[in-house]
Amino acid sequence: MKLLLTVSISILLIFGCSKPPQNISNNSTETVLGTIGDSAMVASAHPIASQVGADIMKNGGNAFDAAIAVQFALAVVYPVAGNIGGGGFAVIRESNGNVASLDFREKAPKSASKDMYLDSEGNVIKGKSTIGRLACGVPGSVDGMFELHKKYGSMPMDQLIQPAIILADGGFPLTQNEASNLNRFQEEFKMQNNWDLPTMRESPWKEGETMFYKDLAVTLAIIRDFGKEGFYEGIVADQIVKDVQSGGGLITMDDLATYESKWREPLVGNYRNHKIISMPPPSSGGIALLQLLQGTEDYPIGTWGHNSAKAIHTMTELERRVYADRATYLGDPDFYDVPQEMLLSESYNEERFLDISAKSKTPSSEIKEGNVEMIESVETTHFSVVDVDGNSIAITTTLNGYFGNKVMVKGAGFFLNNEMDDFSAKPGVPNQFGLVGAEANAVAPEKRMLSSMTPTIVEKDGELLMVVGTPGGSTIITSVYQTILNVIDHEMTMQEAVNAEKFHHQWLPDLILIEENRFAENVVDDLTSMGHVIDVRKQLGKMDCILVHPDGTLEGGSDYTRGDNTSIGF
Ligand code: GLY
């Protein structure tokens, strides 16, 4: 098995992935198809991680085995967001239609407190929740993978971790994107660490260079040999605690030893005769997505045309209201009574969207006041897997910012998260995504911070139709929303839906973000005349999705235009 995986990864490195997407032109009127597989597919942020997952399934593993292997592989080849030092969420649909969701989100350390990011005058101290050791929540990813394996795994766990060990120890070639990510954060690596990280270098990293993570290989081998205790107890836990506490962080051995993933009832809703299965709190993703879809059902979005001014205006007005609800009502349900039923009820949403005007925008200040700055960086990663039996899983996982808090655990070789910034440090003051929050998402010991991650599975007529997700911080929800509409209302292929230009509105700041140079001038003019303020972003989202075609074949739609995202199927 070990040999098989080594050989397969080498083949990929030499020949690239099989059946690449067809026709990459944006302007073409021809159908653009993603990677086609007869029966199984992995779509992830990195070609090597996708290959690892596909190999696991070729060797008899199921979708859940493959997902575990992909999670560990991404921690090596995609350390900007792939992780063992972060957390995430999984939405699961078994081939028999049973659904589940797993919360392996980070939690606040036991000594965390509501005002820990405020100065003596009650103002937020800039950077304290985003960079360095105090920004770090207790990691959940390793526990999550073991929990997933306990319930759904079919292959021995050591075989699922082994490909990541081989990559970390034996090295792998850097992509252009990964090389430039490493170059971009050299200063932060130096500032936050007092030792020579494998990611640090005087001369710039270049595409094709071999990257090794020797310490990480040892850490992964300890996890392989000792199970999750290999991470949450013993030498690795000791390394985490020593490093975190050396810089004023709060995580203790007890915080690590008591971390637990949680199985939660997934959210299930409907959209134009499709069943939508998504993530409940502490992610806001599922509730917000279902609210947006409920609001959209009243409008013939498909006949208005994809990204017509009318469609963007209407979707923006829905987003404005839904994100205001997100800021007010959502937080960790174990600490705050989230009014989930109310937010998802038809009567509430009918009333909520009643004042949307077809002609002009509603200023966000009229919906609820706030005081915000601009959105900054967005990084997380998502992957989707479907196996030969039709089991499927959508996982979104994160360190929060690029390379998390920029701290690599000394001796253990992996980056820690800066997820504490997803709490609301002070009601009404925005986090790094420009998101504001309220009491529902205030910091508290052992509480999970609110997330926007939206791993989602769509069913049609009782059968699996689509597995969807993306990184992008606060923009995750709106990218998943648009991608679902692109397939259902605009009848796009999976790849077209992923490639399509995206926009985003989140109530505050009161502006529509659009992808640079992707929207027609007359559409922007029409939106401006309705009162909307437009701002541009280089790109929004990096989707990794899978669509089941009517003939049963699978189409992987991976965002190869915005990242290294790659689907591999067979
Ligand atoms: N850290 C991004 C999110 O959880 O939404």
Side-chain angles (χ1 to χ4, degrees):
M1 179 68 187
K2 202 185 286 188
L3 180 67
L4 264 178
L5 286 164
T6 317
V7 170
S8 180
I9 290 164
S10 315
I11 290 170
L12 170 75
L13 301 183
I14 297 165
F15 298 111
C17 62
S18 59
K19 292 196 194 173
Q22 299 151 34
N23 187 352
I24 58 169
S25 159
N26 269 336
N27 302 323
S28 170
T29 50
E30 287 170 42
T31 301
V32 180
L33 277 177
T35 303
I36 301 297
D38 289 335
S39 53
M41 184 70 63
V42 182
S44 91
H46 199 287
I48 296 177
S50 295
Q51 186 67 54
V52 164
D55 285 345
I56 291 289
M57 293 195 286
K58 273 190 189 148
N59 286 292
N62 63 23
F64 314 114
D65 296 323
I68 293 165
V70 171
Q71 171 84 28
F72 282 107
L74 284 171
V76 179
V77 297
Y78 193 65
V80 67
N83 68 84
I84 57 172
F89 299 108
V91 170
I92 289 152
R93 183 184 181 278
E94 292 177 87
S95 55
N96 62 10
N98 289 345
V99 295
S101 70
L102 179 64
D103 161 4
F104 54 98
R105 181 70 160 165
E106 300 92 328
K107 63 170 186 177
K110 288 183 181 178
S111 58
S113 56
K114 191 174 167 198
D115 297 339
M116 63 188 278
Y117 298 113
L118 305 184
D119 64 19
S120 54
E121 281 161 22
N123 298 315
V124 174
I125 304 168
K126 208 170 163 59
K128 218 172 173 189
S129 64
T130 51
I131 193 146
R133 289 155 178 85
L134 196 62
C136 185
V138 183
S141 290
V142 174
D143 188 79
M145 292 307 102
F146 277 89
E147 198 57 40
L148 183 62
H149 186 257
K150 196 158 65 183
K151 196 153 174 195
Y152 295 104
S154 74
M155 282 173 65
M157 191 66 166
D158 59 349
Q159 292 184 20
L160 307 179
I161 302 176
Q162 190 62 25
I165 298 174
I166 293 169
L167 288 163
D169 187 53
F172 60 93
L174 285 177
T175 64
Q176 174 60 50
N177 285 326
E178 277 305 290
S180 51
N181 281 335
L182 291 171
N183 293 334
R184 197 173 137 200
F185 289 97
Q186 288 297 312
E187 271 314 303
E188 285 89 342
F189 296 154
K190 271 186 216 147
M191 265 166 53
Q192 296 302 326
N193 301 277
N194 63 2
W195 58 289
D196 279 338
L197 309 193
T199 52
M200 275 177 178
R201 249 237 318 242
E202 288 307 320
S203 57
W205 291 100
K206 292 200 192 73
E207 179 183 6
E209 279 189 81
T210 306
M211 187 75 195
F212 300 91
Y213 290 102
K214 295 284 183 185
D215 288 344
L216 178 56
V218 174
T219 300
L220 290 167
I222 293 172
I223 298 169
R224 175 197 62 196
D225 296 342
F226 295 92
K228 70 176 184 185
E229 288 77 15
F231 183 86
Y232 291 96
E233 296 171 28
I235 181 170
V236 176
D238 201 44
Q239 285 166 324
I240 296 172
V241 170
K242 273 208 179 89
D243 195 321
V244 166
Q245 293 189 356
S246 74
L250 302 180
I251 296 175
T252 62
M253 291 298 274
D254 181 48
D255 282 321
L256 289 166
T258 54
Y259 180 86
E260 275 181 345
S261 311
K262 297 188 182 188
W263 290 102
R264 299 196 185 268
E265 195 60 39
L267 294 181
V268 178
N270 286 294
Y271 179 65
R272 303 202 204 281
N273 297 322
H274 294 76
K275 193 186 210 184
I276 314 290
I277 305 141
S278 196
M279 194 67 213
S283 183
S284 62
I287 288 186
L289 176 67
L290 294 182
Q291 281 190 277
L292 287 169
L293 292 173
Q294 272 195 38
T296 310
E297 282 219 274
D298 292 338
Y299 301 100
I301 291 283
T303 58
W304 286 351
H306 179 246
N307 283 346
S308 60
K310 200 169 175 176
I312 295 175
H313 166 73
T314 304
M315 290 162 74
T316 292
E317 291 306 308
L318 295 167
E319 289 169 6
R320 185 192 309 285
R321 287 156 177 81
V322 166
Y323 273 79
D325 285 350
R326 178 197 190 280
T328 313
Y329 298 118
L330 296 189
D332 183 344
D334 297 338
F335 286 74
Y336 179 84
D337 198 7
V338 176
Q340 183 170 308
E341 234 176 86
M342 177 194 84
L343 289 170
L344 294 177
S345 71
E346 265 179 47
S347 54
Y348 173 79
N349 286 310
E350 255 173 42
E351 174 80 24
R352 187 73 174 118
F353 303 135
L354 208 57
D355 63 345
I356 292 179
S357 153
K359 298 211 162 49
S360 62
K361 79 164 215 177
T362 316
S364 286
S365 56
E366 283 178 20
I367 291 181
K368 199 183 166 194
E369 282 178 9
N371 171 25
V372 294
E373 294 165 3
M374 296 298 300
I375 293 174
E376 289 172 18
S377 69
V378 283
E379 204 41 70
T380 287
T381 191
H382 172 87
F383 54 97
S384 300
V385 187
V386 177
D387 70 20
V388 293
D389 294 321
N391 297 303
S392 56
I393 179 163
I395 290 192
T396 313
T397 178
T398 188
L399 290 168
N400 199 16
Y402 287 85
F403 302 103
N405 64 356
K406 324 294 189 260
V407 174
M408 182 178 271
V409 179
K410 198 169 183 175
F414 60 90
F415 286 104
L416 289 170
N417 66 82
N418 61 343
E419 219 71 58
M420 293 296 282
D421 188 58
D422 274 347
F423 280 117
S424 148
K426 183 179 176 182
V429 177
N431 71 356
Q432 69 165 349
F433 302 120
L435 286 167
V436 290
E439 207 49 43
N441 190 33
V443 185
E446 295 204 273
K447 189 173 175 183
R448 276 134 145 104
M449 52 297 280
L450 186 62
S451 171
S452 299
M453 293 191 279
T454 316
T456 299
I457 294 177
V458 181
E459 241 183 51
K460 178 143 196 237
D461 301 329
E463 302 289 337
L464 175 68
L465 179 69
M466 205 172 3
V467 188
V468 193
T470 184
S474 56
T475 69
I476 291 174
I477 300 163
T478 52
S479 287
V480 167
Y481 167 51
Q482 289 167 80
T483 303
I484 291 174
L485 262 52
N486 286 349
V487 171
I488 295 178
D489 294 73
H490 303 296
E491 299 178 356
M492 293 186 190
T493 66
M494 195 72 261
Q495 192 62 52
E496 288 167 342
V498 165
N499 288 355
E501 69 280 8
K502 305 284 188 310
F503 66 91
H504 171 75
H505 192 289
Q506 61 178 41
W507 173 50
L508 294 170
D510 188 357
L511 45 82
I512 306 177
L513 290 181
I514 60 172
E515 284 189 299
E516 204 170 18
N517 301 326
R518 302 277 320 260
F519 285 75
E521 222 170 279
N522 64 318
V523 169
V524 174
D525 289 346
D526 286 351
L527 289 167
T528 308
S529 67
M530 288 184 225
H532 294 288
V533 177
I534 310 290
D535 198 0
V536 293
R537 278 291 171 279
K538 194 159 176 291
Q539 61 182 55
L540 291 170
K542 280 187 203 136
M543 315 282 312
D544 277 299
C545 312
I546 301 171
L547 179 68
V548 182
H549 285 186
D551 65 359
T553 57
L554 303 174
E555 182 193 356
S558 280
D559 217 338
Y560 58 88
T561 63
R562 297 179 182 93
D564 295 325
N565 305 55
T566 304
S567 296
I568 297 182
F570 59 86

